[in-house]
Amino acid sequence: DTGVSQDPRHKITKRGQNVTFRCDPISEHNRLYWYRQTLGQGPEFLTYFQNEAQLEKSRLLSDRFSAERPKGSFSTLEIQRTEQGDSAMYLCASSSAGVTKETQYFGPGTRLLVL
Amino acid sequence: AQKITQTQPGMFVQEKEAVTLDCTYDTSDPSYGLFWYKQPSSGEMIFLIYQGSYDQQNATEGRYSLNFQKARKSANLVISASQLGDSAMYFCATGYSTLTFGKGTMLLVSP
């Protein structure tokens, strides 16, 4: 059983550049989540999808952030005009909605450093 | 709104001993889940154990058990027979569609 995968694992960019991250969930999972984790903190929810529909977005998700899940499979998270404060670990997770003990399984994360 | 409090920034335990990591929670949901995740230095969040708020028994998964005290709103993780590979950050979380995490506890296991 293949787990959640994320690409790239590491990204270094200059302030003002755009970056895009990809997440491939566990194949039978219909929910996909994005979280952000800064140093010394637990992950913070950004947004989630059920199939293609984006059901919830956090106030943390500024208008520079956009996420898509066009075919209900993989998802992309784009950050436009990156700022140094965007430096963080971006975690993706997936789950199956409606099952007993619904559990989110996480990918390895993408570490972003904005210079 | 949900809140998770982990009051232990770090814990130190010797190999083969048991250790308890504390977690208290606050939620307005009538039914909720409680989760523990492990995060090694590599960064991946590894699911350990789940407790449902209406589960009659405390959850167990191998060497992990959850000491759930609903009236006290606590969901402490107990790791029995610690191993060197248990050294990592441990996060408590609650929620259903979205998870709210605590700040974590760093566990160091010494030989």
Side-chain angles (χ1 to χ4, degrees):
Chain A
D1 184 23
T2 305
V4 179
S5 61
Q6 292 186 244
D7 184 71
R9 296 290 306 276
H10 303 271
K11 179 70 177 180
I12 301 174
T13 191
K14 292 183 179 180
R15 190 176 53 185
Q17 298 293 305
N18 299 344
V19 294
T20 300
F21 309 142
R22 176 180 170 126
C23 172
D24 287 88
I26 293 170
S27 58
E28 62 267 30
H29 285 178
N30 56 359
R31 283 188 174 173
L32 186 149
Y33 307 79
W34 286 99
Y35 292 84
R36 181 173 67 187
Q37 185 179 22
T38 53
L39 208 59
Q41 302 295 319
E44 295 175 297
F45 167 75
L46 292 178
T47 187
Y48 90 96
F49 295 83
Q50 182 156 320
N51 302 313
E52 307 86 7
Q54 188 172 18
L55 296 188
E56 190 172 342
K57 293 194 293 186
S58 163
R59 288 173 297 173
L60 292 175
L61 210 66
S62 77
D63 56 5
R64 296 184 298 106
F65 287 69
S66 62
E68 293 183 341
R69 194 182 183 198
K71 297 182 179 179
S73 56
F74 72 91
S75 174
T76 58
L77 178 68
E78 181 183 15
I79 309 174
Q80 296 182 326
R81 305 181 302 281
T82 53
E83 302 173 355
Q84 288 183 327
D86 297 331
S87 296
M89 171 81 95
Y90 290 84
L91 293 161
C92 176
S94 69
S95 69
S96 285
V99 302
T100 305
K101 300 184 181 180
E102 181 181 343
T103 297
Q104 295 181 29
Y105 294 91
F106 283 78
T110 296
R111 291 184 189 270
L112 173 66
L113 178 61
V114 181
L115 300 176
Chain B
Q2 297 151 338
K3 184 178 180 181
I4 294 287
T5 302
Q6 294 181 254
T7 57
Q8 305 155 314
M11 289 287 286
F12 188 80
V13 67
Q14 283 200 309
E15 201 176 7
K16 300 180 185 177
E17 291 184 348
V19 62
T20 298
L21 306 183
D22 294 342
C23 171
T24 57
Y25 62 91
D26 193 11
T27 179
S28 54
D29 295 333
S31 176
Y32 49 89
L34 293 153
F35 303 81
W36 278 91
Y37 287 85
K38 171 185 177 182
Q39 188 176 43
S41 56
S42 60
E44 183 171 359
M45 298 286 286
I46 302 168
F47 167 70
L48 296 178
I49 196 166
Y50 167 93
Q51 177 81 45
S53 57
Y54 287 102
D55 290 345
Q56 295 297 315
Q57 293 187 328
N58 286 343
T60 61
E61 290 285 351
R63 295 186 299 110
Y64 304 109
S65 61
L66 204 151
N67 183 1
F68 180 49
Q69 298 186 47
K70 194 171 183 178
R72 293 186 175 185
K73 295 190 174 182
S74 75
N76 298 339
L77 177 70
V78 181
I79 305 175
S80 63
S82 297
Q83 301 173 354
L84 296 178
D86 293 336
S87 294
M89 283 291 291
Y90 288 80
F91 291 96
C92 180
T94 189
Y96 276 119
S97 57
T98 67
L99 292 179
T100 299
F101 287 83
K103 291 190 174 183
T105 296
M106 171 65 79
L107 176 65
L108 291 176
V109 182
S110 68

